[in-house]
Amino acid sequence: MIVDCAIYREGHRSEGPEDLSDALDEARSAGGFVWIGLHEPTEKEFDLVTREFGLHPLAVEDALKAHQRPKLEVYDDSLFVVLKPVVYEPESDTVSTGEVMLFLGDAFVVTVRHGVGSPLKAVRERLEQEPQLLGKGPTSVLYAVADAVVDHYLEVATELANDLEELEAEVFSPDGGGSRHTASRIYTFKRQILEFRRATVPLSMPLTRLAGVGAYGGTVPFVNDRARPFFRDVNDHLARVNESVEGLDRLVSDVLSAHLAQMSVRQNDDMRKISAWAAMAAVPTMIAGIYGMNFDHMPELHWVWAYPAVIALMAVLEVLLYRLFKRRGWL
């Protein structure tokens, strides 16, 4: 469905005509651009926008089906950009992603959003309060959306770092690290970081291209070259996010390895204790087994002090074994 449609002239909003072709002609004649926002459109709803703005069918297919990686595609009449906003849910400590897709042309911007976490409403409101920036044309919309998405990445990275600190405290606590649910929590957390990386890492190449740096730097159609410093700033923020995510991923792997090592050490300690108690139980069992045999000619059977002597021998051997195992740390 079409959420919003407006024409912007010199950074100021005016409601456009219902006919999209008329809106585009009016925006071009006034030196402005038309901005159309859609939310999870159907193929029938998007067909009108496709015809009026001449969008490429491959980009349209991606916009309708969603589930795309962050990317930048250049077509004859438009530029297609995919961003993945990220939402952190503190109640469940999970990361979920949505999608924002932008079509940029000479005098139009079409934004399509899927899922949650879209910053488009807030971006539009902020840009309408800054007519000087909005007056730069469709490039200002692309910059503002990318900047909002990447800035929120920084917030999510901070939240994940806090969660990891809590997880580390649990793993290295005297009793919490042995919980059978700890390994499951660590693995779930690693899955959240992987979901986060799928949104941030692929975005590096499109922003590098928009910033005009690196091997892929160059003029991007439908993007004002004067906007390159702004995209470089966004790219720098994204680089910080990717470094943070990479560090979190390595650290959570180390935490998982430490947890498994702790579990192995504790299992070894348990096996030592079990072995020590089994050895202590084996000695009296052996002696009692010998004297439980049904033979007539056993030398100690008819001694008066045989029974207390055997009991005393068992006690002395048990004390000696206990002290030996205690000294070696097995008990």
Side-chain angles (χ1 to χ4, degrees), residues 19-20 25 52 75 90 106 119 127 139 143 147 201 208 240-242 263 273 289 303 308 327:
D19 185 87
L20 297 181
D25 292 339
E52 295 298 339
Y75 298 102
D106 58 340
L127 283 175
T139 302
Y143 159 72
D147 185 54
V201 174
T208 299
R240 287 173 50 196
V241 171
N242 285 332
M263 295 297 293
K273 291 179 181 179
W303 292 0
R327 186 182 304 165

Side-chain angles (χ1 to χ4, degrees), residues 46 61 68 85 112 121 134-135 146 161-162 179 192-193 204 215 219 222 230 232-233 247 254 279 297 307 312:
F46 205 53
E61 181 181 359
Q68 303 295 317
V112 183
K121 182 178 180 181
L134 192 56
N162 294 335
S179 172
Q192 303 309 313
I193 293 191
S204 179
T219 301
F222 311 108
F230 297 93
R232 280 200 294 269
D233 181 68
D254 293 341
H297 303 288
Y307 177 74

Side-chain angles (χ1 to χ4, degrees), residues 37-108:
L38 300 99
H39 176 237
E40 297 183 357
T42 64
E43 185 175 353
K44 183 177 180 181
E45 291 171 339
F46 205 53
D47 185 58
L48 177 61
V49 178
T50 301
R51 292 198 312 268
E52 295 298 339
F53 294 101
L55 305 180
H56 197 279
L58 292 178
V60 171
E61 181 181 359
D62 289 344
L64 289 173
K65 292 185 177 181
H67 304 294
Q68 303 295 317
R69 286 165 51 92
K71 62 180 180 179
L72 183 151
E73 300 284 350
V74 178
Y75 298 102
D76 293 337
D77 299 321
S78 63
L79 181 71
F80 180 60
V81 181
V82 179
L83 304 171
K84 294 183 76 69
V86 172
V87 175
Y88 175 79
E89 300 172 2
E91 295 80 9
S92 56
D93 294 336
T94 57
V95 171
S96 57
T97 58
E99 288 187 43
V100 173
M101 304 174 181
L102 298 94
F103 294 87
L104 270 72
D106 58 340
F108 69 86

